[in-house]
Amino acid sequence: MMLSRAKPAAVGPQATSGQSSSAAAEKKRKLPKLETFIVNRDYLGAITLLEFLKATGKADTDTLLWTGYASFHLGDYKKAMETYKVLSEEPNADPLTHLYLACCYFFLGWYKEADEEAQKGPTCKLQNRLLFHISHKFNDEKRLMGYHQNLQDVIEDQLSLASIHYLRSHYQEAIDIYKRILLENRDFLSINVYVAMCYYKLDYYDVSQEVLSVYLQNFPDSVIAVNLKACNHFRLYNGKAAEAELKSLTEKTTPHFRFGEDLIKHNLVVFRNGEGALQAFPPLLDVIPEARLNLVIYHLRNDDTRAAFDLMKDVEPSTPQEYILKGIVNAALGQEQESREHLKIAQQYFQLVGGSASECDTIPGRQCMASCFFLLKQFEDVLIYLSSIKGYFYNDDTFNFNYGQAKVATGSYEEAEEVLLMIQSEKFKSDYAYLSHLARCYIMNKKPRLAWELYLKMETSSESFSLLQLIANDCYKMSHYYFSAKAFDVLERLDPNPDYWEGKRGACIGVFQQIIAGQEPKDLFRDIVSMLRNTSNPQVEYIIRIMKKYAKENRWTQ
């Protein structure tokens, strides 16, 4: 067994006598005490000592109990479970062993087994707290309230109550309990971590970091605290800053250190913007609640709407994040499948979050209300909510895309053009919704040539055909007859619909009138004559003859 070299066993250079050397040798031969490992939270060292005792035939029931305890605190719940299982099956086993085993089942996510084992244990505060948490996992409100009533005004019970408040997103209630305990027990430093976690959930990342520093000054190698610090850095700065914090932690720990391993693996994927999500998230779906939500986000970002919907369809939302994601997947699927039912469900979820007292004044809450009104096509209301949070999303492409669409819908074309041109994402810039809204802005802002150039850059498809229709009709409406005529000309060649001929005819005559009025250059005359001749209609020659006659009389042509 390797001992820590932080405290050398050898005495200093002044110990020169044989008696001193003999004492040092005797000290070396002594086994370290289990109590020392436990006090120093060196659970790996404790397990190593316990395994040594077992191998030398000195193991007893206490050895197994401590093995279970150390394994549990090391995060090796499976080994702890196996140890307590052996103990529970012994004759005259301590009834508390059933509760210890139930705790292992609970941390492994085996809630049914945890419930059954906990019922076998003695009636005590530990059993009540454990069943209290199991009831929460089962979403059994009546049963949960029953165990709630049995909680007493003792620290362990109050901490358990605070944790349930946290899990139910009642963060302020949890903070109140933690602060009350801290006032009476200032040396309970770890409670600062719980308070910091609540502030993190409330989006007060600076406050969370400040409270957390109290604990980290004393325990800089704490997995939970360093992980939370990394999460704060992710929110305040970026993924690289967050990853750097976790890297320093992983460098300090040994390969045998298992506590928080899944949590760190999960968060590293988040910090790396989803890299490795399909490998890391699926095994963690029933271990870390956020794993399912982050996998849904990953699928949505990669346009796999069906996979995202399947992951969320059986989730009964209980937190704002779950309600929001239920709304998003239903909105995405509704748009993809043109399903009014899914869009209505999405609108209802968004309204629930945005209208709730706890979320109505938060950024996600206002985004939800904007999304709700967007689906209802009430764009004036959309702009009220988006304008209130615009300062937080200046360079956010998704926000600017939605904000630009709402501006177009309300006729604010100049502002809409400015916002849409801020978008950098090539994915958005190649989307038909983006191109059509930007084209409309160009046309309404008297820049029809730019709208036509958008069409010229597109490959021939149903979307390019739709954009041509928009250009043809909007240009006609705004008296940009030349580009309207060009669009109708291409449309007519692609689809010999009489409506396109009528549109082209009107647009060509409109250009002719603008040339006469001096609003367009005479050079365009040849273009409109050429476009008219692309149509085999008896009216063509009659129109061209009148136009040419006027042009000749006014010396437009040589």
Side-chain angles (χ1 to χ4, degrees):
M1 178 176 70
M2 288 187 66
L3 299 177
S4 170
R5 291 176 184 162
K7 297 179 181 177
V11 293
Q14 293 178 354
T16 55
S17 69
Q19 187 179 0
S20 299
S21 299
S22 176
E26 182 64 26
K27 193 173 181 182
K28 274 188 179 182
R29 283 196 293 271
K30 280 186 180 178
L31 277 173
K33 290 183 179 179
L34 176 64
E35 184 183 347
T36 306
F37 287 121
I38 299 299
V39 169
N40 293 331
R41 300 182 301 140
D42 184 359
Y43 301 115
L44 184 61
I47 289 172
T48 306
L49 176 59
L50 291 163
E51 293 291 346
F52 173 78
L53 292 173
K54 186 178 175 183
T56 55
K58 297 178 182 178
D60 54 15
T61 301
D62 277 352
T63 306
L64 284 174
L65 280 168
W66 280 115
T67 301
Y69 177 89
S71 299
F72 184 89
H73 283 79
L74 190 62
D76 193 347
Y77 305 118
K78 191 175 180 183
K79 183 174 180 178
M81 173 199 74
E82 291 166 352
T83 305
Y84 287 130
K85 208 168 185 180
V86 170
L87 284 165
S88 67
E89 291 168 357
E90 286 185 352
N92 303 317
D94 185 343
L96 280 171
T97 310
H98 292 291
L99 294 180
Y100 302 152
L101 179 56
C103 288
C104 296
Y105 285 143
F106 182 86
F107 275 85
L108 287 167
W110 301 353
Y111 305 123
K112 185 181 176 184
E113 292 82 352
D115 189 31
E116 292 171 357
E117 201 65 34
Q119 301 288 355
K120 297 176 186 176
T123 302
C124 61
K125 291 172 186 163
L126 174 59
Q127 186 200 47
N128 186 73
R129 289 194 296 271
L130 184 53
L131 292 171
F132 183 45
H133 279 270
I134 291 169
S135 300
H136 168 72
K137 291 295 183 183
F138 287 155
N139 291 317
D140 190 333
E141 193 70 18
K142 185 178 178 182
R143 184 179 163 188
L144 180 133
M145 293 311 295
Y147 292 117
H148 183 190
Q149 290 173 359
N150 296 332
L151 294 174
Q152 299 176 20
D153 192 15
V154 294
I155 289 174
E156 293 85 355
D157 283 9
Q158 289 303 302
L159 287 173
S160 188
L161 176 59
S163 69
I164 291 293
H165 278 312
Y166 176 88
L167 292 168
R168 290 159 74 93
S169 303
H170 302 156
Y171 305 117
Q172 192 56 55
E173 289 87 339
I175 289 172
D176 293 342
I177 294 173
Y178 290 137
K179 285 188 173 179
R180 191 168 65 246
I181 295 172
L182 268 175
L183 279 173
E184 299 170 4
N185 306 275
R186 293 199 175 274
D187 56 331
F188 286 10
L189 295 176
S190 61
I191 294 178
N192 288 288
V193 180
Y194 308 148
V195 175
M197 289 172 75
C198 292
Y199 280 123
Y200 173 83
K201 288 290 188 178
L202 289 168
D203 297 341
Y204 297 135
Y205 307 117
D206 288 327
V207 179
S208 173
Q209 198 76 330
E210 187 180 340
V211 175
L212 187 63
S213 64
V214 176
Y215 183 79
L216 280 171
Q217 285 170 8
N218 292 274
F219 303 102
D221 61 339
S222 166
V223 175
I224 296 298
V226 172
N227 176 70
L228 180 55
K229 183 181 179 183
C231 292
N232 280 323
H233 278 213
F234 179 66
R235 296 294 187 180
L236 291 168
Y237 310 113
N238 52 48
K240 285 187 177 179
E243 192 176 344
E245 289 297 328
L246 285 189
K247 189 179 179 183
S248 66
L249 179 66
T250 52
E251 285 173 352
K252 292 176 186 175
T253 57
T254 67
H256 303 286
F257 192 78
R258 303 288 298 280
F259 182 75
E261 182 182 37
D262 290 337
L263 185 63
I264 291 171
K265 189 188 297 181
H266 169 275
N267 287 349
L268 278 174
V269 173
V270 176
F271 298 158
R272 292 167 181 167
N273 202 27
E275 183 184 324
L278 293 178
Q279 291 75 39
F281 290 158
L284 302 177
L285 291 182
D286 296 319
V287 180
I288 298 174
E290 289 84 357
R292 180 178 297 275
L293 307 186
N294 283 318
L295 185 56
V296 170
I297 292 168
Y298 174 83
H299 285 313
L300 287 170
R301 283 179 175 172
N302 288 275
D303 298 323
D304 194 347
T305 309
R306 172 51 68 179
F309 179 81
D310 289 342
L311 277 169
M312 289 300 294
K313 67 181 179 183
D314 295 325
V315 173
E316 286 297 328
S318 58
T319 65
Q321 292 80 8
E322 288 171 347
Y323 277 102
I324 291 169
L325 273 181
K326 287 282 277 191
I328 291 171
V329 295
N330 275 285
L333 197 68
Q335 289 173 327
E336 196 174 277
Q337 299 181 351
E338 298 184 359
S339 165
R340 287 187 180 180
E341 183 185 351
H342 284 300
L343 291 175
K344 186 177 180 181
I345 292 170
Q347 177 255 314
Q348 290 169 344
Y349 277 125
F350 290 139
Q351 193 166 13
L352 273 171
V353 177
S356 69
S358 62
E359 297 297 314
C360 62
D361 289 326
T362 65
I363 292 172
R366 295 190 178 194
Q367 285 177 300
C368 283
M369 284 310 297
S371 300
C372 169
F373 286 122
F374 205 106
L375 293 174
L376 291 170
K377 298 185 179 179
Q378 297 176 17
F379 295 104
E380 293 285 355
D381 293 318
V382 171
L383 289 174
I384 290 172
Y385 284 96
L386 291 185
S387 296
S388 70
I389 57 174
K390 185 173 67 169
Y392 298 96
F393 296 96
Y394 183 76
N395 290 318
D396 188 286
D397 284 347
T398 303
F399 178 88
N400 287 330
F401 186 38
N402 292 326
Y403 192 59
Q405 289 180 82
K407 283 288 184 183
V408 170
T410 54
S412 303
Y413 298 110
E414 288 185 10
E415 289 179 72
E417 180 186 335
E418 184 182 339
V419 171
L420 290 172
L421 288 174
M422 288 171 67
I423 293 172
Q424 300 296 315
S425 167
E426 290 302 323
K427 182 181 176 183
F428 279 126
K429 289 164 80 172
S430 62
D431 187 276
Y432 174 71
Y434 174 84
L435 293 168
S436 60
H437 280 81
L438 184 58
R440 176 157 286 166
C441 289
Y442 283 148
I443 294 165
M444 298 301 171
N445 294 333
K446 301 179 181 179
K447 303 172 186 176
R449 182 176 295 280
L450 293 176
W452 182 249
E453 286 174 2
L454 284 177
Y455 161 71
L456 292 177
K457 291 175 184 175
M458 292 181 74
E459 294 181 6
T460 304
S461 64
S462 59
E463 290 182 348
S464 65
F465 189 84
S466 297
L467 188 63
L468 266 177
Q469 291 177 311
L470 182 147
I471 293 170
N473 290 300
D474 279 11
C475 283
Y476 198 101
K477 189 192 300 182
M478 294 299 295
S479 301
H480 304 314
Y481 294 121
Y482 177 66
F483 288 100
S484 175
K486 285 171 75 72
F488 276 125
D489 183 48
V490 177
L491 284 168
E492 189 188 24
R493 280 183 277 163
L494 294 171
D495 177 14
N497 186 321
D499 291 342
Y500 297 143
W501 155 244
E502 290 179 11
K504 183 170 78 169
R505 180 186 63 192
C508 287
I509 293 171
V511 176
F512 186 67
Q513 288 178 325
Q514 287 175 330
I515 295 171
I516 293 171
Q519 295 170 358
E520 290 284 7
K522 295 172 184 177
D523 296 346
L524 300 184
F525 178 59
R526 287 184 180 178
D527 288 350
I528 61 171
V529 170
S530 176
M531 283 189 275
L532 285 167
R533 281 184 171 151
N534 288 332
T535 305
S536 56
N537 187 295
Q539 296 177 0
V540 170
E541 288 306 320
Y542 176 72
I543 295 169
I544 290 175
R545 190 164 58 249
I546 293 174
M547 286 181 174
K548 280 194 167 184
K549 183 182 177 185
Y550 183 90
K552 188 176 182 181
E553 289 172 356
N554 289 273
R555 300 180 180 180
W556 286 4
T557 55
Q558 297 299 323

